Amino acid sequence: MKKAVGIIAEYNPFHKGHAYHIEKAKELTGADYAVVVLSGDFVQRGTPAVFSKHLRTKMALLGGADVVLELPSYYASSSAEYFAKGSIGILNALHGIDFLCFGSESGELSPCMATAEILSKEPEAFQISLKENLKKGLSFPSARKAALLEYGAKFLSGPWNNEFLDTPNNILGVEYCKALLSLKSSIRPVTLKREGSAYHAEKLENSYPSASAVRRSLSQLQDTDSREFLPALLSLFTRTQPEMVASLPHNLTKEDMMTEDDFSLLLKYKLMRSTPHSLCQYADMSPELARRICNRLNEFLSFSQFAGLLKTKELTRTRINRALLHTLLEIPADLPSHAPGYVRLLGFQKKSSEFLRLLQNNSTIPVLTKAADYKKRLPKEEISAFETDIFVSNLYQSVLHIKKQTAFVHDLQKPPVLL
């Protein structure tokens, strides 16, 4: 019986480390297929993806993925807990995924599972410690970390250290494990130690650079003369991800790269039409942040500049970015409590067609292969959520094609990428 491993990713953009992850995930689990749940055109850090979801899908397929599915926009731009809930919910609903392989800084599964079990069960001693730390004035993430360390020191053999609970991939890994536990999923988690640069490293200093370093290098190419852009881009990709060069369109220009500042005017318009009260209807927006936005709106110069201006000790840049993005995209604060009720196919390998049909037949949620058929295929209660996904992608594509001065293609008209 053939096996499949699930991978949850943004690929913003796809690089050699991601190709290594896919290869090792298959190797560690003995899986025949790698199924990727991919964020669409906006990502968890509260910004647009550097490249469109269909280009990143093609890169992923060239890098070893067999099937690429889209994580709905509600989940893709949310916190680690909600991001994990949506992604794991999809993989579990497919009823054809045997393993989940995620990268982590620790490279060990036991601390991820131990933390996930505590957060799932919330034993009394943990709750008491959490409340005491909150009373001391700590933020919720800091109070939770302190409570976990205190609980672990008293009742466990000590699977963590301070660094484990501070690193982004470990935190995501904990949320993946917690989501698997809550669903009583049969999917077996496996973790792979992150190789190369740290998650937030900004220099291309080894053979496995971080996505942050690749994005930083790409942003520096924005100042390149238009005629020199493609050679410079190909040179960068040859150094960081040579196998991906073939996936780049030959007519790629610097206008193909998207940043949050491409949405500055749209965001300013939306904020000008808002009040502190109306802003609080959107996800990740607190009353304090809403008042701060309205009080300082006259200082708005760009999306990124304004997000930096709003930053405080209590509010991280990512949280502010998400709140601004959710305002722009009108993603509500009352996000659905359930896992996604559908998933859209973004691309697949022709050789994996039979496996894809098996997933479609076994899945307890619709797998949309033709987006335009969504009204026929989706339950009525899921249509609104899918239409939000379509709006979000069309907004991204509209801004992209205005930059490029090329014809816009509606998201419903785009077929899955096939290799």
Side-chain angles (χ1 to χ4, degrees):
M1 182 112 179
K2 297 205 170 182
K3 297 178 181 178
V5 59
I7 294 172
I8 301 164
E10 291 185 326
Y11 296 155
N12 188 33
F14 193 93
H15 57 69
K16 284 175 68 176
H18 296 136
Y20 172 81
H21 180 196
I22 294 172
E23 178 186 359
K24 293 299 288 185
K26 289 182 176 180
E27 181 183 314
L28 284 171
T29 62
D32 303 280
Y33 303 102
V35 178
V36 175
V37 176
L38 181 70
S39 297
D41 287 319
F42 292 88
V43 296
Q44 200 199 2
R45 52 196 289 267
T47 62
V50 173
F51 293 120
S52 72
K53 63 186 180 185
H54 286 92
L55 179 52
R56 287 181 292 121
T57 294
K58 185 178 180 183
M59 289 178 168
L61 293 171
L62 286 168
D66 294 281
V67 176
V68 180
L69 305 169
E70 182 176 3
L71 178 63
S73 54
Y74 283 144
Y75 305 88
S77 60
S78 292
S79 66
E81 181 178 15
Y82 207 69
F83 180 88
K85 180 185 290 187
S87 306
I88 296 296
I90 287 171
L91 291 173
N92 189 65
L94 293 174
H95 291 284
I97 307 300
D98 303 281
F99 304 94
L100 168 74
C101 184
F102 60 90
S104 65
E105 286 84 4
S106 70
E108 297 180 11
L109 185 63
S110 60
C112 293
M113 288 300 297
T115 308
E117 286 176 1
I118 294 169
L119 295 177
S120 296
K121 296 176 182 176
E122 291 193 340
E124 185 179 359
F126 169 76
Q127 290 185 47
I128 291 171
S129 179
L130 177 61
K131 289 176 183 177
E132 288 175 350
N133 283 292
L134 287 170
K135 286 179 182 178
K136 293 176 184 177
L138 294 179
S139 66
F140 183 81
S142 297
R144 188 172 77 162
K145 175 187 171 183
L148 283 167
L149 290 171
E150 289 168 15
Y151 183 88
K154 289 180 182 177
F155 299 101
L156 300 176
S157 57
W160 323 277
N161 54 37
N162 285 344
E163 290 73 26
F164 173 81
L165 295 171
D166 280 336
T167 47
N169 287 295
N170 286 346
I171 292 169
L172 261 179
V174 167
E175 294 297 343
Y176 294 149
C177 292
K178 190 172 76 169
L180 288 170
L181 288 171
S182 71
L183 292 170
K184 297 181 173 58
S185 177
S186 62
I187 297 173
R188 292 171 52 193
V190 176
T191 189
L192 176 66
K193 185 173 177 59
R194 183 183 174 88
E195 297 289 343
S197 299
Y199 183 87
H200 293 299
E202 295 190 345
K203 292 183 179 179
L204 299 175
E205 52 193 12
N206 59 53
S207 58
Y208 293 110
S210 69
S212 297
V214 177
R215 285 195 301 271
R216 183 178 177 84
S217 296
L218 286 171
S219 69
Q220 291 170 350
L221 294 184
Q222 293 276 17
D223 297 327
T224 304
D225 181 270
S226 296
R227 291 169 297 179
E228 299 298 322
F229 171 77
L230 190 55
L233 181 66
L234 290 174
S235 174
L236 169 65
F237 271 61
T238 300
R239 282 186 288 128
T240 61
Q241 39 201 330
E243 56 279 289
M244 295 300 103
V245 171
S247 72
L248 297 175
H250 295 303
N251 60 346
L252 198 71
T253 70
K254 59 185 179 182
E255 283 73 28
D256 284 274
M257 296 190 304
M258 299 286 278
T259 73
E260 61 266 44
D261 288 341
D262 291 316
F263 295 81
S264 294
L265 283 177
L266 288 171
L267 175 62
K268 178 67 181 293
Y269 171 79
K270 182 68 178 177
L271 296 178
M272 287 175 67
R273 302 283 294 178
S274 301
T275 65
H277 177 73
S278 67
L279 286 173
C280 288
Q281 69 183 297
Y282 301 118
D284 283 305
M285 185 69 72
S286 66
E288 294 77 16
L289 178 56
R291 287 193 294 270
R292 190 170 172 80
I293 286 171
C294 292
N295 289 339
R296 306 204 68 171
L297 190 54
N298 287 349
E299 300 171 72
F300 186 107
L301 298 176
S302 69
F303 192 132
S304 60
Q305 170 269 344
F306 195 55
L309 187 68
L310 296 171
K311 190 178 182 305
T312 66
K313 288 182 180 179
E314 294 76 28
L315 285 172
T316 65
R317 178 65 176 267
T318 299
R319 169 68 182 273
I320 293 166
N321 274 354
R322 284 191 199 129
L324 294 175
L325 179 65
H326 292 156
T327 300
L328 175 65
L329 302 180
E330 298 186 348
I331 292 180
D334 56 338
L335 295 170
S337 58
H338 58 80
Y342 62 89
V343 66
R344 178 181 178 180
L345 177 68
L346 286 179
F348 65 103
Q349 301 267 12
K350 187 179 290 187
K351 64 182 181 182
S352 305
S353 298
E354 185 177 339
F355 172 69
L356 176 60
R357 281 193 291 273
L358 186 66
L359 287 183
Q360 290 175 282
N361 292 335
N362 290 343
S363 178
T364 55
I365 60 174
V367 179
L368 284 173
T369 55
K370 186 178 180 183
D373 289 343
Y374 75 96
K375 289 185 178 178
K376 301 176 186 175
R377 297 287 318 284
L378 298 187
K380 288 183 179 179
E381 62 271 17
E382 299 295 341
I383 287 177
S384 177
F386 186 72
E387 287 176 343
T388 295
D389 293 341
I390 298 301
F391 166 77
V392 165
S393 287
N394 281 339
L395 182 67
Y396 180 100
Q397 289 294 325
S398 295
V399 174
L400 173 62
H401 286 285
I402 288 171
K403 280 180 67 177
K404 291 165 58 71
Q405 292 293 288
T406 55
F408 168 79
V409 179
H410 198 285
D411 198 43
L412 291 179
Q413 297 175 300
K414 293 182 178 178
V417 178
L418 175 61
L419 289 186

